[in-house]
Amino acid sequence: MNRVKYFIDNIASIIKGKWLVQHDNALIEQLLIDSRKLIFPQTSLFFALKGPRRDGHSFITQLYEKGVRNFVVSDTVDLSVLADANIIQVEDPLQALQNLVAWHRKQFNLPVIGITGSNGKTIVKEWLNQLLDDRFTIIRSPKSYNSQIGVPLSVWPLNEQHELAIFEAGISQPGEMEQLQKIIQPTIGIFTNVGEAHSEGFVNVRQKVNEKLQLFKHVQTLIYCQDDPEINSGVAALWQQLPNNKRFEIFSWSMVSEAVLHIRQVYKEENRTTITATYQQLEIGITIPFTDNASVENAIHCWCVLLHLQVPQEEITKQMQQLGPVAMRLELKKGLNNCSLINDSYSSDLSSFTIALDFLSQQQQHGKRTVILSDILQSGRSEKDLYAEVARLLQQRQVNRLIGIGERISHHQSIFQSAGIPDLAFYSSVDAFIKELHHIPFKDEVILLKGARIFELEQVDRLLQQKVHQTLLEIDLTAVAHNLKQFQQRLQPSTRIMAMVKAFSYGSGSYEIANALQFHRVDYLAVAYADEGVELRKAGINLPIMVMNPEESTFDVLVQYNLEPDLYAPGIFALFEDFVKKQGIQQFPVHIELETGMNRLGFSRAELPVVINSLRTPLFKVQSVFTHLASSEDRQQDAYTNQQGALYMQMVEQLQLVLSYPFIRHVVNTAGIIRHPQWHLDMVRLGIGLYGGDSFGEGGLDLREVSTLKSTIAQIKELKEGETVSYGRRGLVTRDTRIATVRIGYADGYPRRLGNGAGKMLVNGHLAPVIGTVCMDMTMIDITDISHVQEGDEVIIFGTDLPVKQVAHWAQTIPYELLATVSQRVKRVYFEE
Ligand SMILES: *Cc1c(COP(=O)(O)O)cnc(C)c1O
């Protein structure tokens, strides 16, 4: 079948650009906006977008060197170094990208479902895909790609073979939806709901509803729940505004009143929910394997779509029973034999495969990369093309080994052979693979597990994991990136960021976090001790790293691993000076810490002349000069903080007089970034803000919790009034009580202080108080008032729904201590959403 093809000539006219240079009429297949995601240089068109901190134009030369020849720019560029390129100039490259994809969308005539709303977009999209994928060849947004950039990238792969499209749209500001409407051009709309989340850009809920409704201006059918008065009146108003012949059909549902689908009963059992409704005067029903309210709402939205598409009710009933959970995350965890394991075994389309490969190639900690991949189902193109593309991707990402699972991928193994992937193995089924698993060597490598849900690769995931006990610290790398961005937006573009990754990144991990930070382009890392830096270097981190506490015994590794010491006092300064002199080293990068009032480390004003004299020699290259604030979070101490800043500036001036070159000046930590913009200077040192969800009350930063500490229930007991729980018999039972023993204790970092009712844990969404003293490996909680709790159930110690700040408050400490003391025996699992 003919695919719509684009040559750079057509594109220039579609986006109404001006040629700066035209070299040839290149075929364009990929749209590129992030230089790190380059895979196919020859056929990629790069759009130089401008963000608040980064300007795509600054990556043009680098991309050119990698073979990219097609660019859309807004600024003038130095053409002399871009000899044989095609360069189109437009006013706004983002708009050009959007216009191009809107044009592309117009070439196709198929049902397109557009989903917006505050919550549930991605689940509804993924469920619709599960429910409809044996009826249609579907294209859908990968993950939750729903932004001004994500939407065009989702729609671009649309082609003739697709029979149904499902795209989600999310907005954070007024005015954005109109653009997304043009790109998606939905024919069927779903408005999931509206919540208070992400309201920053909007005056009120009404405005947010109206803005979201812009997506549905030209739909033929709109599906929504009429029980929310804001949505209901918003929809009515939009419908009224439209001319008679352009009005959409309303497919509403309601729990309380007449609607197209009138829900009569929602009946929850242990692990399923039955929903009955009236539709076209008939009683119909579905049963889903979930019991939470959000799932019920999401399932009803899907039900409406299926009814609208006239899927027979028997078929709907059957499919709904089989709905599976949507894992929207890529998990990274420790595997057997020092492997790292990435689990993405819930979908197998090409775009999510590309995203998973990106994540794989961020992992620098092992030399070798293995991909375990199932058949890819329903791609909308011929299998030959499909697997040739997969082979190209694997080759491009330097994957060393492919293990293909399934009849289809095995059938096409010759494609992978001719692509030159070094190590290949194929199995007709997961069972066949599992039978052989213990003969297959896995050691010191990153393994990506990727497959369609029906292959149930979870079994493989379980077999390849390192076996550790069931207490887990989950770290959300997307939240780290999100938090980093919140801070970046607060800074001048020229202000650099040093990310503090001391003490295992405040307990959340070492190279896993550093890798993510390196990927998101922080400028510097800082660790407390040399060995922490060595570990990062061994894992392939090449950012500059400052070591805050260099010890004499570690000088040789500092030099060997190119770690930059903080010289904070005359003693350590002289020792290190001596060391580099003996080694015959010159210009070694160092940092100078100044004492201005924290009274911890740093040269005092009186000691400064000592350094100044020695810095005249060429032994050292001073990378930065810094000081640390004692009370940046405290309004009462602002005068003291400013006094520290002023003293720092005076001392810096003295250093500037002797050093003939510029150095980086930095003062503030997290709270300082938020509260003292006047002291941002050349760089900031960002710590807790990356990891915690503490917004420090002021400044309104929207930070996310990064870590979730969770465990499981080992046993449940029924106790009678008068009995006692745990050591010292401190937990006296004053009524008949149900007790759950949780697999976490003070050896895991759960403070003993939280015993006897001081602390609480979350079980099934409810708080359960700790009863009795906390033991070394176990803690008991009172679950009398919580229903449906079973042995083996999950217990949340802290996380999004129980912020670490709250738990720290109960333990009379601060989030820093709680995070940093989660013990190393607690397994860390990393994920990206
Ligand atoms: C730990 C540390 C920071 C980071 O502090 P946060 O409050 O976590 O942002 C900054 N500077 C120095 C010198 C530190 O030791």
Side-chain angles (χ1 to χ4, degrees):
M1 204 180 276
N2 255 349
R3 295 186 60 181
V4 179
K5 281 204 162 108
Y6 291 90
F7 292 91
I8 191 78
D9 249 0
N10 325 122
I11 292 182
S13 65
I14 294 168
I15 64 178
K16 301 195 173 67
K18 178 179 134 204
W19 283 108
L20 288 185
V21 233
Q22 183 173 18
H23 173 71
D24 59 11
N25 195 12
L27 173 70
I28 299 299
E29 291 182 342
Q30 292 83 19
L31 306 183
L32 182 69
I33 48 120
D34 181 340
S35 60
R36 296 166 300 190
K37 304 233 159 118
L38 175 66
I39 303 177
F40 304 112
Q42 275 130 26
T43 47
S44 290
L45 172 60
F46 179 70
F47 287 79
L49 306 186
K50 282 189 181 169
R53 287 182 60 84
R54 231 166 268 138
D55 182 346
H57 292 83
S58 59
F59 298 98
I60 291 179
T61 331
Q62 184 194 325
L63 285 165
Y64 181 85
E65 279 160 15
K66 291 188 176 153
V68 178
R69 289 295 177 270
N70 300 287
F71 300 91
V72 174
V73 301
S74 53
D75 299 356
T76 47
V77 287
D78 179 5
L79 299 176
S80 63
V81 294
L82 306 170
D84 49 353
N86 298 309
I87 305 180
I88 305 171
Q89 191 179 36
V90 295
E91 193 127 317
D92 178 354
L94 175 59
Q95 194 143 26
L97 169 75
Q98 296 176 336
N99 292 346
L100 172 60
V101 181
W103 198 92
H104 176 64
R105 161 69 185 89
K106 274 217 194 86
Q107 310 312 305
F108 303 96
N109 189 358
L110 78 170
V112 174
I113 302 176
I115 309 173
T116 195
S118 300
N119 297 302
K121 294 186 286 291
T122 306
I123 308 267
V124 169
K125 180 195 71 195
E126 292 298 320
W127 275 1
L128 284 174
N129 182 61
Q130 289 181 18
L131 293 163
L132 291 166
D133 78 349
D134 42 6
R135 295 187 155 249
F136 301 96
T137 300
I138 298 176
I139 177 176
R140 67 192 200 279
S141 334
K143 310 275 164 181
S144 50
Y145 272 35
N146 61 30
S147 67
Q148 296 289 305
I149 294 170
V151 169
L153 295 183
S154 301
V155 177
W156 178 247
L158 178 63
N159 70 41
E160 292 77 0
Q161 313 219 339
H162 293 119
E163 297 161 340
L164 175 69
I166 314 174
F167 297 121
E168 56 177 288
I171 50 168
S172 51
Q173 284 173 43
E176 290 184 338
M177 195 57 98
E178 199 177 339
Q179 278 308 103
L180 300 186
Q181 191 282 328
K182 287 185 195 143
I183 308 167
I184 298 176
Q185 298 163 34
T187 59
I188 301 171
I190 304 177
F191 198 145
T192 59
N193 53 44
V194 63
E196 289 306 314
H198 315 296
S199 312
E200 315 93 73
F202 300 95
V203 197
N204 54 30
V205 179
R206 166 76 40 100
Q207 190 199 19
K208 193 159 59 163
V209 168
N210 288 339
E211 176 66 25
K212 287 182 194 275
L213 280 168
Q214 294 304 306
L215 179 63
F216 307 127
K217 272 192 313 203
H218 304 302
V219 294
Q220 291 154 16
T221 305
L222 178 59
I223 292 167
Y224 71 101
C225 172
Q226 69 185 32
D227 298 343
D228 181 319
E230 293 283 1
I231 295 183
N232 202 29
S233 62
V235 171
L238 175 65
W239 194 85
Q240 285 298 338
Q241 277 163 28
L242 295 171
N244 263 334
N245 57 346
K246 295 266 164 73
R247 283 179 179 161
F248 47 81
E249 175 203 342
I250 287 182
F251 196 124
S252 60
W253 63 272
S254 169
M255 297 263 190
V256 292
S257 57
E258 284 307 315
V260 177
L261 184 70
H262 184 177
I263 306 297
R264 298 291 179 170
Q265 197 189 26
V266 175
Y267 177 65
K268 295 186 182 181
E269 289 168 89
E270 182 95 8
N271 45 26
R272 56 185 191 165
T273 305
T274 300
I275 308 165
T276 47
T278 317
Y279 176 66
Q280 297 177 346
Q281 278 126 43
L282 291 174
E283 278 281 301
I284 54 176
I286 56 171
T287 299
I288 56 169
F290 296 89
T291 55
D292 61 291
N293 291 338
S295 294
V296 170
E297 182 179 309
N298 293 333
I300 296 174
H301 280 120
C302 294
W303 195 8
C304 294
V305 175
L306 270 61
L307 289 169
H308 171 68
L309 294 175
Q310 302 187 343
V311 178
Q313 180 59 36
E314 315 83 79
E315 169 92 19
I316 297 178
T317 311
K318 189 171 127 235
Q319 295 275 3
M320 285 283 182
Q321 278 166 351
Q322 293 164 9
L323 276 182
V326 175
M328 280 176 298
R329 23 159 97 173
L330 278 169
E331 278 185 350
L332 170 67
K333 52 200 155 191
K334 290 235 157 50
L336 294 174
N337 303 329
N338 198 33
C339 291
S340 296
L341 183 61
I342 301 171
N343 180 8
D344 190 15
S345 56
Y346 86 102
S347 68
S348 72
D349 53 295
L350 209 50
S351 35
S352 74
F353 182 54
T354 314
I355 295 170
L357 279 180
D358 281 339
F359 189 63
L360 176 74
S361 47
Q362 277 174 49
Q363 308 307 318
Q364 312 278 342
Q365 61 269 30
H366 310 288
K368 202 174 149 194
R369 293 178 182 148
T370 292
V371 171
I372 301 177
L373 177 67
S374 80
D375 290 349
I376 294 183
L377 309 170
Q378 304 280 0
S379 73
R381 56 165 98 187
S382 82
E383 285 194 349
K384 245 199 186 131
D385 276 6
L386 170 70
Y387 290 110
E389 173 104 13
V390 171
R392 278 209 292 170
L393 288 166
L394 293 171
Q395 191 191 23
Q396 216 282 335
R397 291 300 192 210
Q398 288 159 15
V399 169
N400 309 77
R401 168 160 67 163
L402 169 69
I403 297 175
I405 297 183
E407 305 276 354
R408 302 320 308 155
I409 195 168
S410 300
H411 181 75
H412 291 284
Q413 43 184 289
S414 61
I415 295 177
F416 297 96
Q417 275 150 9
S418 41
I421 293 155
D423 193 349
L424 289 170
F426 293 89
Y427 300 87
S428 58
S429 68
V430 174
D431 287 341
F433 172 62
I434 288 178
K435 266 201 203 106
E436 291 299 312
L437 193 62
H438 57 283
H439 299 305
I440 307 172
F442 289 103
K443 192 164 190 292
D444 282 324
E445 58 198 293
V446 200
I447 306 168
L448 168 64
L449 201 56
K450 175 81 194 159
R453 215 163 50 88
I454 57 161
F455 281 85
E456 298 184 350
L457 289 178
E458 302 88 291
Q459 302 176 57
V460 179
D461 176 54
R462 239 171 286 132
L463 292 169
L464 290 177
Q465 263 183 64
Q466 199 186 42
K467 306 283 176 283
V468 215
H469 80 145
Q470 296 184 27
T471 301
L472 283 185
L473 187 68
E474 283 189 347
I475 293 118
D476 180 351
L477 295 174
T478 310
V480 174
H482 167 90
N483 293 346
L484 176 63
K485 199 163 159 201
Q486 296 299 307
F487 286 97
Q488 285 172 333
Q489 286 169 349
R490 283 282 163 118
L491 301 174
Q492 296 293 321
S494 60
T495 305
R496 292 182 236 205
I497 294 182
M498 174 182 268
M500 309 306 284
V501 293
K502 60 195 183 200
F504 288 101
S505 299
Y506 294 42
S508 57
S510 70
Y511 57 76
E512 300 89 347
I513 298 284
N515 251 334
L517 293 169
Q518 176 163 298
F519 181 75
H520 292 290
R521 299 204 173 99
V522 303
D523 303 280
Y524 246 100
L525 295 175
V527 294
Y529 295 99
D531 52 353
E532 299 176 328
V534 172
E535 188 172 336
L536 298 183
R537 283 281 181 259
K538 283 187 173 158
I541 303 294
N542 49 33
L543 284 175
I545 300 176
M546 176 171 95
V547 175
M548 293 193 290
N549 246 305
E551 296 155 293
E552 194 182 356
S553 58
T554 61
F555 285 171
D556 50 341
V557 299
L558 286 178
V559 172
Q560 184 188 344
Y561 288 95
N562 197 20
L563 302 169
E564 305 173 1
D566 164 15
L567 303 179
Y568 53 80
I572 192 91
F573 189 98
L575 286 171
F576 195 62
E577 190 179 21
D578 225 36
F579 180 82
V580 295
K581 216 183 272 169
K582 281 199 190 113
Q583 301 271 317
I585 297 167
Q586 293 215 328
Q587 300 282 323
F588 195 82
V590 298
H591 301 260
I592 304 290
E593 180 167 2
L594 304 177
E595 180 56 77
T596 59
M598 170 77 176
N599 292 323
R600 189 171 74 174
L601 297 178
F603 283 95
S604 67
R605 197 168 199 179
E607 289 161 342
L608 204 54
V610 185
V611 232
I612 289 188
N613 260 332
S614 303
L615 286 177
R616 292 180 205 277
T617 71
L619 291 177
F620 295 144
K621 162 85 191 338
V622 176
Q623 300 288 64
S624 87
V625 175
F626 74 101
T627 192
H628 194 35
L629 297 174
S631 289
S632 60
E633 71 290 350
D634 186 353
R635 178 184 294 274
Q636 312 256 314
Q637 298 293 344
D638 282 354
Y640 189 80
T641 298
N642 285 322
Q643 192 182 312
Q644 277 194 277
L647 175 56
Y648 168 79
M649 291 308 273
Q650 286 170 20
M651 290 165 78
V652 160
E653 245 169 65
Q654 291 178 32
L655 283 164
Q656 276 165 339
L657 289 177
V658 271
L659 292 174
S660 53
Y661 51 87
F663 49 81
I664 303 172
R665 301 164 304 158
H666 49 119
V667 172
V668 294
N669 63 345
T670 300
I673 299 174
I674 298 172
R675 302 196 58 254
H676 301 287
Q678 74 278 25
W679 298 117
H680 285 181
L681 305 180
D682 307 320
M683 184 156 80
V684 298
R685 296 189 305 277
L686 177 57
I688 191 82
L690 278 174
Y691 313 107
D694 195 335
S695 61
F696 296 90
E698 303 173 44
L701 277 196
D702 160 35
L703 299 180
R704 288 208 219 144
E705 295 281 335
V706 164
S707 303
T708 301
L709 180 60
K710 49 166 80 162
S711 187
T712 52
I713 295 175
Q715 198 183 10
I716 293 177
K717 296 174 192 292
E718 309 286 343
L719 299 188
K720 291 265 170 283
E721 187 180 339
E723 292 189 90
T724 63
V725 178
S726 195
Y727 290 122
R729 306 193 57 200
R730 297 255 165 68
L732 176 65
V733 166
T734 55
R735 55 172 178 167
D736 290 357
T737 296
R738 194 155 4 100
I739 301 292
T741 303
V742 184
R743 296 178 168 107
I744 191 168
Y746 56 78
D748 299 292
Y750 193 69
R752 199 166 169 280
R753 255 191 178 210
L754 290 173
N756 301 306
K760 298 184 175 74
M761 299 183 188
L762 261 187
V763 183
N764 271 351
H766 298 280
L767 286 175
V770 173
I771 178 164
T773 40
V774 172
C775 310
M776 188 182 288
D777 315 300
M778 271 161 284
T779 300
M780 277 61 83
I781 53 176
D782 180 344
I783 53 164
T784 316
D785 299 324
I786 307 175
S787 49
H788 301 306
V789 185
Q790 296 172 3
E791 292 178 354
D793 278 3
E794 181 178 275
V795 176
I796 307 282
I797 320 302
F798 58 71
T800 307
D801 298 325
L802 179 52
V804 64
K805 192 175 174 185
Q806 173 67 60
V807 182
H809 178 73
W810 287 331
Q812 298 171 41
T813 179
I814 51 175
Y816 297 75
E817 184 179 351
L818 216 54
L819 290 169
T821 54
V822 174
S823 88
Q824 287 304 310
R825 86 170 181 194
V826 174
K827 174 175 159 183
R828 268 73 172 163
V829 173
Y830 301 84
F831 66 89
E832 265 196 6
E833 290 201 336

